[in-house]
Amino acid sequence: MSNTPMAASPLTRAVLEIDEYASGLGWDQPARLFALVDTARLRVEEPALAAQLGLEDETETTGLTPIEQDEVPTDKPLDEFLATIAWPDAVAGCALTVERLMLPPSAEAQVPQGMSEAKLARWVAEHPDRQEVRMTVAVLRDGSRESALRLREKDASTEVLTGSGLVPGLADALSATFEE
């Protein structure tokens, strides 16, 4: 968490830590899924894992530790994959980082109607105003949400936007992984 603000909430710090991790891997990466676990609980219940993650000497008593999960399959739509996930009780929340193309609001009126998903994706990819964005979205069991957005053209930690309502659809899909 070298570049994360200390005054931020534990969820915001976790999102920024994941964003920083993904940034270090570079662009054009697959989606990555993370379990978020209570750091203090992890130290008590899983001391070997906490030591492996370098958490045994931390003095902070609150916080969330992101633990990357197995690869997200690329042959299945993301919403279908997320619908198959169920988390154990020890997981306080989850996060996903994914790269997408987006258009500015001014281009939304230009979107042709009645296109197939494949044709629409191609249209967006060829649009001159498209922007590549990395979204990191996290949710907790209690409904808390946080997001971080990083544009490829402004790829600096000082340019990352954060907010709880930036990617509501993805936050909803992640929240559904905690529903019974």
Side-chain angles (χ1 to χ4, degrees):
M1 291 193 297
S2 59
N3 292 329
T4 58
M6 293 312 296
S9 74
L11 187 57
T12 302
R13 286 196 312 267
V15 164
L16 291 172
E17 181 179 347
I18 293 167
D19 173 75
E20 186 178 321
Y21 167 75
S23 176
L25 299 172
W27 285 88
D28 305 317
Q29 296 293 315
R32 295 178 186 281
L33 181 66
F34 299 82
L36 299 176
V37 297
D38 179 271
T39 304
R41 182 175 175 183
L42 179 66
R43 280 193 213 111
V44 170
E45 295 180 8
E46 298 287 341
L49 178 57
Q52 184 180 352
L53 296 172
L55 302 173
E56 72 276 13
D57 294 330
E58 283 194 22
T59 58
E60 189 174 332
T61 58
T62 63
L64 296 164
T65 298
I67 300 175
E68 189 169 3
Q69 304 300 291
D70 292 333
E71 289 185 21
V72 175
T74 56
D75 61 341
K76 183 185 272 193
L78 191 56
D79 58 339
E80 288 180 24
F81 167 69
L82 291 175
T84 67
I85 296 174
W87 298 102
D89 290 340
V91 175
C94 66
L96 183 82
T97 183
V98 63
E99 296 176 15
R100 292 290 186 259
L101 292 177
M102 76 175 197
L103 294 175
S106 61
E108 289 180 19
Q110 303 168 9
V111 176
Q113 299 300 309
M115 295 180 104
S116 68
E117 263 192 61
K119 286 184 179 179
L120 181 59
R122 198 170 321 118
W123 184 86
V124 170
E126 294 170 356
H127 195 283
D129 294 332
R130 75 186 178 284
Q131 293 189 351
E132 292 177 74
V133 62
R134 181 182 304 116
M135 302 175 283
T136 303
V137 179
V139 300
L140 296 179
R141 284 184 186 273
D142 69 6
S144 301
R145 299 169 171 213
E146 188 62 74
S147 304
L149 296 179
R150 181 186 291 252
L151 296 174
R152 189 171 192 159
E153 72 178 28
K154 294 183 178 184
D155 193 7
S157 60
T158 57
E159 297 290 335
V160 175
L161 301 173
T162 60
S164 61
L166 296 177
V167 192
L170 185 51
D172 290 343
L174 291 172
S175 291
T177 66
F178 291 102
E179 294 174 3
E180 300 202 13

